[in-house]
Amino acid sequence: MPEFDLIARIRERASLRADVLLGIGDDAALLRVPAGQLLVVSCDTLNAGVHFPLDTAPADIGHKALAVNLSDLAAMAAQPAWCTLSLSLPEADADWLNGFLDGFLALAHAHGVALVGGDTTRGPLSIGVTVHGFVPEALALRRAGAQAGDELWLTGTLGDAAAALTLRAATTPVDPLLTARLNRPTPRVAAGLALRGLAHAGIDVSDGLLADLGHVLAASGVGAQIDLARLPTSAALAAAIGESGRWPLQLGGGDDYELCFTAAPEQHAAIVAALAAVDTPVQVIGYIAAAPGVRVLAADGSAYTPSQSGYQHFAKPHHE
Amino acid sequence: MPEFDLIARIRERASLRADVLLGIGDDAALLRVPAGQLLVVSCDTLNAGVHFPLDTAPADIGHKALAVNLSDLAAMAAQPAWCTLSLSLPEADADWLNGFLDGFLALAHAHGVALVGGDTTRGPLSIGVTVHGFVPEALALRRAGAQAGDELWLTGTLGDAAAALTLRAATTPVDPLLTARLNRPTPRVAAGLALRGLAHAGIDVSDGLLADLGHVLAASGVGAQIDLARLPTSAALAAAIGESGRWPLQLGGGDDYELCFTAAPEQHAAIVAALAAVDTPVQVIGYIAAAPGVRVLAADGSAYTPSQSGYQHFAKPHHE
């Protein structure tokens, strides 16, 4: 199957939007950005064997490749609009491509995102995605902006994806709910939009809570306290791994793609209501302090020293 | 050298523009598109050993990775503005990265392009670039729009890059001028801008003249005649390879990144003047015909049958 058949297959399955004047099929896409909004752009690449296990299903790879990018738009409180796809394949495999597109395009359609371009190359399996969205300038959710006294919030639950990887590595049976969190992360787009005007600063947890929170704190010039007892934990994780075993996963493991954000305490009720309206669980896990650094407190108030403070990863796709 | 050092190195060397409200260092970039202009987006990935020889100098790889993308903007008559960079590296090598950035950023600066984001991952050497530019809607140069009777034009010269690859494969000494055309292609950005309002249709020659012209003809529903004797040939190519040997390279070889475009004959003088003003050589190589297909005529008027009609490449980066 030559490249043009690949592109034709992708093109015939891509849907369009009214703001796409020219999509797949020319030297570049022609797109209309709404007046009064900023363009928001992010890109993340997933490499086989590094960012997903080699035996991951093609549809899961397709889902995840777009999800991790939409997660970055969510973390800016942006409305997703378009994406491009750079697909490097060791061979032209129609079944693989169809499965991949099933996962990729289902998520794209769910978020009204049009695939407007890309390229296909021969090489080791690698998927590069660039996403584009919109946000009014005053409503963008940046890393800078956290203020001492802010409540520290987190959507969803933490540690499920890292638990799936850890259990898998130990050849322990893995609850499919945990595996689904690793392979099919939910980008918190609706939550990001709901937080417009409410949150001071935010980031998505892709590299681990301590690592990603660290970026917010560094950008904002503040510190934080986290209460271990308040870390939101799924029932599946609680059933699989005891507290002391899961804390390092929840603090240091990546791939959760939850939103971590800070907001003034006066916004507490508004945030609870806004996220309930988009069916997104959310919880306060600590607060922002003026003094730099992160203090993690156990339930008895003693300081907890993480055994794994956000693994240093040359490998993670990182959107800076 | 962990990932964050890589990103810091890239970040400290990236320059900004007034329309970049937030560049490298958050979950996504925040960018302002000028009112009344369309956003133009294209992406191409280069894989080591597929799109460039493994021994290519890092600075050449950096130059080429951006150049092939700017070439797509040129082919839309767009003004380049921003780019993102997805860099997959087998190891974190500071010398390699510095060399790569030398080539990449020198070309970016020459075109006023700001690097606004990207990611670094561990994996086989691969460089994914997404470029963004602007064009007023009425002035975009598409593939569709060629009309019977149009003159068929080409910037620069053809076949140099393919000759460099061919001679190299034959372990024949290669004129550095030919190698430079392969490793350091010139994106015809100024020519694309100069053609606004003058050309009917255009494309950049990345996959070979016949293949790329074929896209224009298919999109426009027309055919073309090419006169072999008018194919622009560099002195270096003419000195290295005889006519019958170089024609297949000029018709079927890729990597030239010249612009191929069509325009009404009445625009002939205006096009010559507009491209002279931006120091871009340009030549008529044939015309657009109503009947589909491409006829290639030798100097004596006989039909020439190309031995290589644009190689079928699963491998080429292709921006559809």
Side-chain angles (χ1 to χ4, degrees):
Chain A
M1 186 166 68
E3 187 198 14
F4 293 114
D5 287 2
L6 276 181
I7 293 172
R9 276 172 183 269
I10 294 171
R11 183 179 185 177
E12 72 194 12
R13 294 189 58 180
S15 61
L16 294 185
R17 292 162 47 109
D19 53 12
V20 179
L21 282 78
L22 195 58
I24 295 172
D26 211 302
D27 293 297
L30 295 177
L31 308 164
R32 196 188 309 279
V33 175
Q37 304 232 30
L38 295 181
L39 178 70
V40 188
V41 178
S42 186
C43 59
D44 267 337
T45 297
L46 302 188
N47 295 336
V50 178
H51 304 108
F52 54 85
L54 291 172
D55 61 355
T56 306
D60 287 344
I61 298 170
H63 176 99
K64 187 164 185 173
L66 183 58
V68 304
N69 278 280
L70 292 178
S71 180
D72 283 318
L73 293 185
M76 301 300 290
Q79 175 70 53
W82 315 303
C83 66
T84 61
L85 170 64
S86 290
L87 199 52
S88 176
L89 292 175
E91 57 186 333
D93 178 329
D95 287 341
W96 190 94
L97 183 67
N98 282 331
F100 174 87
L101 290 177
D102 287 344
F104 189 95
L105 294 177
L107 186 63
H109 294 167
H111 289 277
V113 169
L115 174 62
V116 298
D119 70 330
T120 60
T121 57
R122 189 183 63 226
L125 179 58
S126 175
I127 304 102
V129 174
T130 301
V131 285
H132 298 79
F134 316 132
V135 70
E137 181 172 354
L139 300 180
L141 187 58
R142 304 168 188 228
R143 293 181 181 178
Q147 299 176 20
D150 277 0
E151 289 181 316
L152 180 62
W153 295 81
L154 193 82
T155 62
T157 61
L158 268 186
D160 296 329
L165 272 179
T166 301
L167 294 171
R168 179 192 161 95
T171 65
T172 305
V174 187
D175 186 329
L177 290 172
L178 299 178
T179 303
R181 289 271 293 168
L182 176 67
N183 290 338
R184 294 260 176 177
T186 301
R188 295 295 191 184
V189 172
L193 294 173
L195 290 171
R196 285 183 175 182
L198 295 175
H200 282 156
I203 195 168
D204 66 321
V205 180
S206 56
D207 298 334
L209 176 63
L210 292 183
D212 290 314
L213 174 60
H215 296 312
V216 170
L217 302 180
S220 303
V222 292
Q225 177 178 308
I226 296 174
D227 298 322
L228 270 187
R230 304 171 90 177
L231 290 183
T233 305
S234 71
L237 177 57
I241 304 180
E243 279 193 345
S244 62
R246 70 178 182 248
W247 284 334
L249 302 177
Q250 295 183 290
L251 293 170
D255 275 329
D256 285 310
Y257 300 100
E258 297 295 349
L259 293 187
C260 175
F261 60 95
T262 85
E266 306 86 74
Q267 301 292 358
H268 188 101
I271 287 171
V272 168
L275 293 204
V278 294
D279 289 327
T280 305
V282 70
Q283 188 165 322
V284 171
I285 61 169
Y287 63 87
I288 298 298
V294 178
R295 290 194 307 159
V296 181
L297 294 193
D300 63 3
S302 64
Y304 173 81
T305 303
S307 62
Q308 182 189 26
S309 66
Y311 43 82
Q312 266 300 343
H313 35 73
F314 169 53
K316 292 291 298 181
H318 204 83
H319 24 71
E320 295 187 288
Chain B
M1 185 166 69
E3 187 197 17
F4 294 115
D5 286 2
L6 275 181
I7 292 171
R9 275 172 184 267
I10 293 171
R11 183 179 186 177
E12 73 194 11
R13 293 190 57 180
S15 60
L16 293 185
R17 294 163 46 111
D19 53 13
V20 178
L21 282 81
L22 195 60
I24 296 172
D26 211 301
D27 293 296
L30 295 177
L31 308 165
R32 195 187 308 280
V33 175
Q37 304 231 32
L38 295 181
L39 178 70
V40 189
V41 177
S42 186
C43 60
D44 268 337
T45 298
L46 302 187
N47 295 336
V50 178
H51 304 109
F52 55 86
L54 292 172
D55 61 355
T56 305
D60 287 344
I61 298 171
H63 176 100
K64 188 164 184 172
L66 182 58
V68 304
N69 278 281
L70 291 178
S71 180
D72 283 318
L73 293 185
M76 301 300 291
Q79 176 71 54
W82 316 303
C83 66
T84 61
L85 168 64
S86 290
L87 199 51
S88 176
L89 293 175
E91 56 186 334
D93 177 331
D95 288 340
W96 190 94
L97 183 68
N98 281 331
F100 175 87
L101 290 177
D102 286 344
F104 189 94
L105 294 177
L107 186 62
H109 295 167
H111 288 278
V113 169
L115 175 61
V116 297
D119 69 331
T120 60
T121 57
R122 188 182 65 226
L125 179 57
S126 175
I127 305 101
V129 174
T130 300
V131 286
H132 297 80
F134 315 132
V135 70
E137 182 172 353
L139 300 180
L141 188 57
R142 304 168 188 229
R143 294 180 180 179
Q147 299 175 21
D150 276 1
E151 289 181 315
L152 180 63
W153 295 81
L154 193 83
T155 62
T157 60
L158 268 186
D160 295 331
L165 271 178
T166 302
L167 294 170
R168 178 192 161 95
T171 65
T172 306
V174 187
D175 186 328
L177 290 172
L178 299 179
T179 302
R181 290 272 292 170
L182 175 67
N183 290 338
R184 293 261 176 176
T186 302
R188 294 296 191 183
V189 172
L193 294 173
L195 290 171
R196 286 182 174 183
L198 295 176
H200 282 155
I203 194 169
D204 65 323
V205 180
S206 56
D207 297 334
L209 177 63
L210 292 184
D212 289 315
L213 174 59
H215 295 314
V216 170
L217 302 180
S220 303
V222 293
Q225 178 177 310
I226 295 174
D227 298 322
L228 270 187
R230 305 170 90 176
L231 289 183
T233 305
S234 72
L237 176 57
I241 304 180
E243 280 194 344
S244 61
R246 72 180 181 244
W247 284 334
L249 302 177
Q250 296 183 287
L251 294 169
D255 275 329
D256 285 310
Y257 299 99
E258 298 294 351
L259 293 188
C260 175
F261 60 95
T262 86
E266 305 87 76
Q267 301 291 0
H268 187 101
I271 287 170
V272 168
L275 294 203
V278 294
D279 289 326
T280 305
V282 70
Q283 188 165 324
V284 171
I285 61 169
Y287 64 88
I288 297 299
V294 179
R295 290 194 308 159
V296 181
L297 295 192
D300 63 2
S302 64
Y304 173 80
T305 303
S307 61
Q308 182 189 27
S309 65
Y311 43 82
Q312 267 300 345
H313 35 72
F314 170 52
K316 292 292 298 181
H318 203 83
H319 24 69
E320 294 188 284

